[in-house]
Amino acid sequence: MADHSPTGPLETGAEMDYSEHERTYQGFLLLAKYGFLVCFALLVSMAFGFFTNAGFFSGFVLFLLICGVGIYMLRSVPQHVA
C-alpha cells in the first residue's frame, strides 16, 4: 500500500476571527431564545383556543400577550453570566 501521509508542514489555516465567532454565537442564542418563546406561545394559545372553544381571536390575543411578557422577561436577563 502506498503511504499518503503528508511529508511537508501541516497547513493550519487562517487565524480565527474571534469577534466574528462571538457575534455568530450571540446571534444563535438570540434566535434560540426568541424562537423557543414563539413556539411556546403558539402551542399555549392553540391549546387555549381548542380546549376552551374560545376561537381564533382569543387565542391570538393570548399569543400576543405571552410574546409581550416573554420578550420583556428575556430582555431583563443579563447577557453574560460568568
Side-chain angles (χ1 to χ4, degrees), residues 16-37:
M16 281 193 64
D17 188 3
Y18 288 107
S19 62
E20 185 65 27
H21 172 76
E22 282 291 322
R23 213 174 60 116
T24 302
Y25 182 67
Q26 291 301 324
F28 170 76
L29 288 181
L30 188 76
L31 182 66
K33 286 192 311 187
Y34 289 109
F36 172 78
L37 174 66

Side-chain angles (χ1 to χ4, degrees), residues 2-82:
D3 184 21
H4 295 294
S5 60
T7 57
L10 295 175
E11 179 68 36
T12 58
E15 291 291 320
M16 281 193 64
D17 188 3
Y18 288 107
S19 62
E20 185 65 27
H21 172 76
E22 282 291 322
R23 213 174 60 116
T24 302
Y25 182 67
Q26 291 301 324
F28 170 76
L29 288 181
L30 188 76
L31 182 66
K33 286 192 311 187
Y34 289 109
F36 172 78
L37 174 66
V38 169
C39 288
F40 175 76
L42 184 63
L43 287 174
V44 169
S45 61
M46 285 172 60
F48 175 77
F50 179 74
F51 288 114
T52 62
N53 203 14
F56 173 76
F57 184 71
S58 298
F60 185 68
V61 170
L62 181 64
F63 172 78
L64 292 177
L65 182 67
I66 291 173
C67 283
V69 170
I71 288 171
Y72 175 76
M73 291 176 65
L74 286 176
R75 287 190 178 176
S76 64
V77 174
Q79 291 293 326
H80 295 287
V81 179

